[in-house]
Amino acid sequence: MGLIATIDRRLETGSWLDLGMFLQNVMLAAAGRGLQCPPETFSKYRRILRPLLSIPDRAVDVFEFLLAQIGELDSYLAAANRACHYVNTRFSRTGRRAG
């Protein structure tokens, strides 16, 4: 499972701090349950994922990570990369299906 956290760029510093503390707690809870959370898993696919997930332009990508069982991280990363590559080859720059 992947998680992409965004925040409206118009929000003040306190909101950014709140989001950071929330994400830290998500990662700590995941680690306590035997999950790994490598950051920046989807960063190279932002151009593709933003329109597919209907992320508005005013939203800033703050953090993204993949939740994976310890020991299975490599296979999850490979599967995520294959899925993103598939989407990349099927959609144009505008997020519409390629001909």
Side-chain angles (χ1 to χ4, degrees):
M1 177 180 90
L3 176 68
I4 299 174
T6 65
I7 191 168
D8 192 311
R9 69 178 71 245
R10 298 172 294 182
L11 293 175
E12 298 292 328
T13 305
S15 298
W16 287 74
L17 293 171
D18 290 340
L19 180 59
M21 289 183 277
F22 170 75
L23 292 172
Q24 179 184 24
N25 283 313
V26 169
M27 291 189 304
L28 288 172
R33 287 164 181 75
L35 298 172
Q36 291 178 308
C37 304
E40 297 294 322
T41 307
F42 304 109
S43 61
K44 61 183 172 182
Y45 300 107
R46 284 182 179 144
R47 179 184 55 83
I48 300 159
L49 293 175
R50 286 183 70 90
L52 289 175
L53 299 175
S54 301
I55 298 173
D57 290 337
R58 69 178 179 272
V60 177
D61 295 347
V62 175
F63 197 79
E64 62 260 342
F65 55 83
L66 179 72
L67 294 172
Q69 293 288 332
I70 293 176
E72 297 178 358
L73 181 59
D74 290 337
S75 63
Y76 281 110
L77 286 173
N81 281 325
R82 283 194 305 273
C84 288
H85 178 73
Y86 173 81
V87 170
N88 189 27
T89 58
R90 298 292 185 261
F91 290 84
S92 68
R93 288 183 156 235
T94 61
R96 294 197 174 114
R97 187 159 175 81

